Amino acid sequence: IATTVGEVWNTQTPSKNNVYVLDQGMHTVGALEDLAPGEKIYSCRFMGDRGYLVTFKKIDPLFVLDLSNPASPAVLGKLKIPGFSDYLHPYDETHLIGVGKDTVDAEQSLVDSRGLDFAWYQGVKLAIFDVSDVANPKQLYCELIGDRGTDSPVLTDHRAFLFDREKGLLVLPITLAEIQGPKTSDNQYGEYVYQGVYVYDVSLQDGFKLRGRITQYDDGGIFEKSGYYFY
């Protein structure tokens, strides 16, 4: 079980992240506590003797966990990259697909005025992680979709994620937001211009290759009438 205790923005008592191993009688037999203080868990995946945990506040640490000894779970390695993964999916035994958001560090003036070190969410981010070297996990590929405001149901519901390893196909529902004209700030939202699915060819040799998009709308004018928020 992976848990976050406390609130990320509580500077007096920073949040903590923990992993607990329970036996069939629901008794705690192992614990790994106080991971990434001041952050919270965004995604977690348990795969046999390994566990993978993503926490976030400003930078995304991907933790690789050793669960082979239930009484003594341990951190084997970690990777720090911009953005975060809301969902982790196994590609194979040594590779993971992550789906989340890209991020950009907030301006120092805002950090100083708010007394908080934070980042602005941007578009949807796809990543392939290589965890074959457990002490040094790597990001092999990264694909960014849209600007700030772009979203996907996959970020909150894993059932929206469709992956066929045999065919090398990945399908994601996307609501696409794009900035029209020059970008003026990192917290600028794009305008909604598309909703449908993105179809990718996925491989460890070439990463993500967009095969095409499919939309349920025949009339693109629906986005012109949607206003600022579109659901």
Side-chain angles (χ1 to χ4, degrees):
I1 297 176
T3 70
T4 296
V5 179
E7 298 293 336
V8 169
W9 306 117
N10 187 335
T11 56
Q12 302 301 315
T13 308
S15 58
K16 299 178 180 180
N17 303 288
N18 315 299
V19 175
Y20 299 102
V21 183
L22 287 76
D23 64 16
Q24 58 186 358
M26 301 300 287
H27 302 111
T28 301
V29 296
L32 178 61
E33 298 181 314
D34 298 339
L35 289 168
E39 301 184 5
K40 72 174 182 177
I41 295 172
Y42 272 63
S43 57
C44 182
R45 170 67 70 168
F46 297 118
M47 295 167 56
D49 289 341
R50 295 282 182 265
Y52 304 97
L53 194 68
V54 170
T55 62
F56 180 75
K57 180 179 179 182
K58 184 176 179 181
I59 294 292
D60 163 11
L62 168 67
F63 290 93
V64 181
L65 309 178
D66 180 8
L67 305 175
S68 58
N69 181 355
S72 184
V75 174
L76 293 174
K78 62 182 178 180
L79 169 68
K80 289 191 174 184
I81 51 175
F84 58 86
S85 297
D86 280 295
Y87 178 61
L88 293 173
H89 190 89
Y91 180 89
D92 59 21
E93 290 185 355
T94 56
H95 296 85
L96 298 168
I97 298 174
V99 185
K101 288 286 185 75
D102 188 30
T103 62
V104 174
D105 291 351
E107 304 90 322
Q108 190 60 45
S109 58
L110 278 176
V111 172
D112 294 340
S113 65
R114 298 185 182 187
L116 295 171
D117 196 12
F118 68 100
W120 297 112
Y121 295 172
Q122 302 296 304
V124 168
K125 175 184 177 181
L126 310 179
I128 296 179
F129 300 106
D130 181 351
V131 292
S132 55
D133 180 354
V134 293
N136 298 286
K138 300 177 181 178
Q139 179 179 271
L140 287 184
Y141 300 101
C142 175
E143 172 83 359
L144 303 180
I145 305 174
D147 295 311
R148 183 169 166 84
T150 299
D151 208 351
S152 173
V154 175
L155 306 186
T156 54
D157 185 354
H158 68 274
R159 293 170 296 182
F161 181 91
L162 176 61
F163 174 59
D164 189 318
R165 166 87 187 282
E166 183 178 343
K167 296 180 179 178
L169 280 178
L170 172 64
V171 183
L172 300 168
I174 293 287
T175 300
L176 180 67
E178 293 181 332
I179 293 173
Q180 309 300 307
K183 184 176 180 178
T184 58
S185 68
D186 290 328
N187 66 336
Q188 180 181 356
Y189 281 91
E191 296 181 16
Y192 292 112
V193 296
Y194 180 87
Q195 188 181 68
V197 296
Y198 277 52
V199 182
Y200 287 94
D201 291 314
V202 182
S203 71
L204 299 182
Q205 292 72 39
D206 301 313
F208 302 98
K209 300 294 182 183
L210 183 63
R211 176 179 287 197
R213 306 190 306 181
I214 307 168
T215 181
Q216 66 270 37
Y217 292 115
D218 296 325
D219 178 15
I222 186 171
F223 298 100
E224 297 176 1
K225 297 180 288 186
S226 65
Y228 191 72
Y229 295 102
F230 179 73
Y231 297 96

